[in-house]
Amino acid sequence: MAKPIAKAIHELKHAMLEISFLQCALDSLVVFLVSLLVFMLLTLPWWYAFAPFLIYAVLHTYRNVKSQKLAKAEETVPELDEQLRTVADNLDKENEIIEKLNSEVLKNMKKIRTSYFFSFGRLTRELLMIAIVSFLIIGASAYNVQFLDFKKTVKDLAEYQRGGEYALQEELLQFEENLSDDIYGNESIAELGGQELQLQLNPSLSDIDISQIKDPEHREFRSTVPTDITGTTDVSFEETIPKGYQKIVKSYFREIVKTR
Amino acid sequence: MRLEDTKKTFDRVMHEMGKVIVGQDEMLKQMLVALMTNSHALLEGYPGLAKTLAVRTMSDLLELKFSRIQNTPDLMPSDITGTYIIEETSGGKRNFKFQQGPVFANIVLADEINRATPKTQSALLEAMQEKQVTVGNNTFKLEEPFFVLATQNPIEQEGTYPLPEAQADRFLLKIKTGYPDEKDELEIVNRYAEAIKKVSLKPVLNKNQLLYVQDVTRQVPIANDIKKYVVDIITKTRTKKDLMEYGASPRASIGLVLASKARALLEGRKYVSKADVNAMAYPVLRHRIILSFEAERQNMDTDAVIKTLLK
């Protein structure tokens, strides 16, 4: 038969785990709803929101379950500090001192309330957030609100990167190097510590006259083909070997291949 | 003796010792830890800090056989272990009879241990480790409990033989005795500079009670987290090469856990706390680590280095 302290610790761990799962479920739900709203506003398929939801849920639950240690319960009841872990680690041992410690811990464990493991402030904030985001999702769906057509933007961006639309005149982008000995400003102000600085500036001329850049011309192409353009068949590819000789030629080349 | 009485008994020991020793509570507690863990302790401090008096007082409070060895360079191993003497019987026959040395006691005070030669130190340290003495072809088991409380002086190193690290490792604790504060020193002056009053000490613990306490000490449970913490500290002494040239052995891990258990019991707790480990790390590790040149260059002493290992 299991010791009462073993049962109590098992119950405590179970309760802590349940609360942890609930907390994780709520956190993940918030992530799902926010992702859903974002994807809706970006006109992406709503089921894309499952990806961040699943990743977050798995990682968050794993981390939370792993951190569920008795030390957390000890934090809530200072009288149990370090004792709960000691008892849990020594459940298989029996002696006078451990028995006394077990009974003391069991008495103090009654002070632990499940509510200690809930952060009511956080819970309230999360519920409030779930409600707000849900309303926003309903509203966005009802009025078909879209901030950005994500697919179209990506397509436009790809086209822009190819650079087809804005062809600049190359000659306007050329620059000349000015090799004159001119120095800008007064020589006397370039003196440092009584010594004149021998500086030579070679400024580059790279002005671009933006006003000369024109919009691309719109050209129309005629859909009908002009009548003066005619097409003829090229006869150079036609085989002129008489049918009777074709067999001889084929067998000739076959023999050549064989002899190689 | 019952478990509930353990704390009361130690409080009584401390109270009785307080009648003689002033301002050395931590030293007294650590001496008790050594007794509770059935281990030996090395007391180090400047002259006049009541090291010897503390051990003598402790022996008065325990109904145990006490002996004192005043170590000098000419002390021989046989002066400690004992030797064979020729005994003449009534019939005129002569026999060899083993004459037990001072090591055959429950509490042995080895005063100024570093004044004895390495050969004599080894005889004592062998008895400490094996709890037996071999003279000639015969081995004599020492009576339980057996403690050696040795003292040494950190100054006046001329003509001394400092304990090698391997031998110092036999002592569970190296207890440092510091100077008392001003208030305590005034109390010492008041107590001992006036008319000499004979202090009557009542024995508090007998042999069986002490053996029970030693048994209970080992039973004190410890959490796995705390055990890991202990091992972590000891491992760090070997890996922190910037501060320590040589670290502690696994014997230090065992010693630190045991000492922490004893301290927990002294404090009236039935479990080991991290605070116990932190408090006992100093006396357990002090003589087991060798500082690096870098630590010495930074003017760090052993306690300062140990402090860096604790969380």
Side-chain angles (χ1 to χ4, degrees):
Chain A
M1 205 176 115
K3 290 182 203 172
I5 187 73
K7 275 187 189 172
I9 288 174
H10 177 75
E11 270 178 37
L12 176 66
K13 281 182 175 172
H14 191 72
M16 284 170 72
L17 211 62
E18 275 181 357
I19 291 164
S20 176
F21 275 126
L22 179 67
Q23 192 71 56
C24 286
L26 276 175
D27 293 348
S28 306
L29 185 62
V30 170
V31 170
F32 176 71
L33 291 175
V34 171
S35 312
L36 184 65
L37 182 63
V38 170
F39 288 137
M40 272 178 68
L41 295 175
L42 296 176
T43 58
L44 283 169
W46 66 271
W47 46 268
Y48 277 19
F50 278 112
F53 162 72
L54 286 173
I55 292 165
Y56 181 82
V58 169
L59 292 178
H60 189 52
T61 310
Y62 173 75
R63 210 178 52 194
N64 253 25
V65 169
K66 219 179 160 193
S67 69
Q68 284 306 311
K69 289 186 177 167
L70 291 170
K72 216 171 177 180
E74 287 174 359
E75 282 169 20
T76 60
V77 182
E79 291 96 319
L80 286 171
D81 191 27
E82 293 179 326
Q83 296 177 50
L84 205 54
R85 276 176 285 168
T86 308
V87 166
D89 291 339
N90 292 280
L91 282 173
D92 55 329
K93 291 175 194 153
E94 274 182 24
N95 64 47
E96 190 187 359
I97 201 159
I98 288 178
E99 274 171 31
K100 287 208 163 35
L101 179 67
N102 286 353
S103 58
E104 275 176 27
V105 169
L106 197 60
K107 213 168 103 185
N108 282 327
M109 275 179 83
K110 286 171 187 160
K111 293 177 188 167
I112 302 175
R113 298 273 172 272
T114 318
S115 57
Y116 290 165
F117 304 114
F118 274 115
S119 168
F120 282 97
R122 186 180 166 188
L123 198 67
T124 314
R125 278 197 301 277
E126 279 186 337
L127 289 174
L128 207 66
M129 195 161 174
I130 288 169
I132 292 168
V133 177
S134 301
F135 276 116
L136 286 174
I137 290 168
I138 295 165
S141 306
Y143 294 102
N144 199 21
V145 179
Q146 290 175 354
F147 283 163
L148 188 75
D149 190 337
F150 190 77
K151 279 181 185 171
K152 191 177 175 297
T153 311
V154 171
K155 202 177 160 189
D156 290 350
L157 202 68
E159 273 180 25
Y160 173 75
Q161 279 178 340
R162 279 201 297 273
E165 260 182 89
Y166 302 100
L168 293 169
Q169 288 174 307
E170 286 295 320
E171 62 271 19
L172 293 176
L173 293 174
Q174 282 175 358
F175 69 92
E176 292 167 28
E177 196 180 4
N178 187 347
L179 299 170
S180 70
D181 291 335
D182 288 348
I183 183 162
Y184 292 107
N186 193 347
E187 279 184 359
S188 63
I189 62 167
E191 282 179 10
L192 184 69
Q195 285 181 336
E196 192 179 303
L197 294 177
Q198 296 299 321
L199 295 175
Q200 185 182 1
L201 298 180
N202 291 329
S204 301
L205 294 174
S206 58
D207 294 339
I208 298 168
D209 189 354
I210 300 213
S211 62
Q212 289 187 36
I213 299 172
K214 293 171 188 168
D215 288 334
E217 287 174 16
H218 186 77
R219 292 189 180 187
E220 282 184 11
F221 293 95
R222 279 174 289 180
S223 56
T224 53
V225 181
T227 49
D228 51 342
I229 298 171
T230 55
T232 56
T233 313
D234 190 346
V235 292
S236 61
F237 296 106
E238 279 183 9
E239 204 170 53
T240 52
I241 304 164
K243 272 203 171 176
Y245 290 109
Q246 281 179 4
K247 255 189 176 179
I248 298 163
V249 173
K250 270 184 189 174
S251 61
Y252 169 74
F253 282 109
R254 205 176 290 135
E255 285 306 311
I256 287 172
V257 170
K258 272 182 191 175
T259 53
R260 274 191 177 180
Chain B
M1 194 179 181
R2 293 179 309 152
L3 183 64
E4 292 77 18
D5 301 330
T6 322
K7 172 86 171 84
K8 283 179 200 162
T9 308
F10 291 125
D11 287 345
R12 270 178 60 205
V13 171
M14 291 298 286
H15 175 73
E16 290 292 315
M17 288 197 79
K19 288 180 183 175
V20 181
I21 312 288
V22 181
Q24 297 288 6
D25 284 2
E26 200 49 44
M27 177 186 80
L28 299 179
K29 271 187 186 174
Q30 290 178 6
M31 278 169 65
L32 280 174
V33 166
L35 292 178
M36 290 163 79
T37 52
N38 196 14
S39 309
H40 315 288
L42 177 65
L43 282 86
E44 190 180 83
Y46 296 114
L49 291 176
K51 300 185 291 290
T52 309
L53 183 63
V55 181
R56 286 195 65 88
T57 311
M58 180 78 81
S59 72
D60 290 341
L61 295 173
L62 308 170
E63 288 180 55
L64 298 171
K65 197 177 162 192
F66 173 75
S67 70
R68 176 178 174 166
I69 303 164
Q70 184 63 50
N71 289 273
T72 53
D74 58 354
L75 190 78
M76 299 298 287
S78 57
D79 296 333
I80 291 176
T81 58
T83 189
Y84 282 98
I85 55 165
I86 296 171
E87 189 187 51
E88 201 169 309
T89 58
S90 52
K93 205 177 170 186
R94 286 177 178 179
N95 289 325
F96 277 107
K97 188 197 165 192
F98 182 66
Q99 178 78 45
Q100 290 184 344
V103 81
F104 286 86
N106 298 116
I107 301 179
V108 177
L109 165 60
D111 218 0
E112 297 193 82
I113 193 168
N114 54 342
R115 297 217 172 271
T117 58
K119 193 177 177 184
T120 311
Q121 285 174 3
S122 297
L124 182 65
L125 295 165
E126 190 191 336
M128 285 163 63
Q129 182 66 24
E130 310 295 330
K131 300 209 169 168
Q132 62 181 30
V133 169
T134 304
V135 179
N137 292 328
N138 297 317
T139 300
F140 302 93
K141 202 109 182 102
L142 295 172
E143 198 185 337
E144 287 283 338
F146 174 69
F147 312 112
V148 174
L149 294 164
T151 68
Q152 70 174 18
N153 191 337
I155 53 167
E156 295 171 14
Q157 294 298 311
E158 205 174 327
T160 62
Y161 303 92
L163 288 176
E165 277 71 26
Q167 296 195 335
D169 198 42
R170 311 269 166 88
F171 291 97
L172 175 72
L173 309 175
K174 183 176 182 180
I175 304 167
K176 264 194 177 172
T177 47
Y179 288 113
D181 61 24
E182 210 175 337
K183 192 176 141 232
D184 288 333
E185 195 153 346
L186 195 65
E187 171 64 22
I188 294 166
V189 170
N190 287 336
R191 213 182 272 189
Y192 293 101
E194 291 170 10
I196 298 166
K197 277 189 272 179
K198 176 83 181 149
V199 180
S200 62
L201 297 171
K202 289 177 205 158
V204 180
L205 269 174
N206 61 31
K207 191 174 157 183
N208 288 335
Q209 285 172 329
L210 189 59
L211 288 172
Y212 170 78
V213 169
Q214 286 180 352
D215 187 40
V216 168
T217 302
R218 286 185 174 267
Q219 289 177 16
V220 174
I222 178 167
N224 291 342
D225 282 358
I226 310 279
K227 276 188 214 166
K228 274 183 201 155
Y229 178 56
V230 168
V231 173
D232 188 41
I233 291 171
I234 304 300
T235 314
K236 269 196 227 165
T237 65
R238 292 173 224 145
T239 53
K240 267 198 152 186
K241 289 285 176 198
D242 54 326
L243 294 176
M244 281 157 284
E245 203 175 331
Y246 292 103
S249 66
R251 193 188 275 168
S253 301
I254 301 166
L256 186 50
V257 169
L258 269 177
S260 304
K261 284 183 173 192
R263 191 179 182 272
L265 209 58
L266 266 180
E267 299 288 330
R269 271 184 280 107
K270 298 178 187 74
Y271 61 95
V272 178
S273 158
K274 206 170 170 180
D276 297 320
V277 177
N278 286 347
M280 295 317 299
Y282 293 95
V284 170
L285 294 177
R286 225 171 247 151
H287 53 301
R288 291 187 161 101
I289 56 173
I290 297 175
L291 300 189
S292 67
F293 172 72
E294 180 59 24
E296 282 173 10
R297 195 186 64 78
Q298 288 177 31
N299 214 13
M300 290 174 91
D301 62 1
T302 322
D303 283 11
V305 171
I306 295 168
K307 199 176 176 184
T308 64
L309 304 173
L310 308 175
K311 282 176 203 162

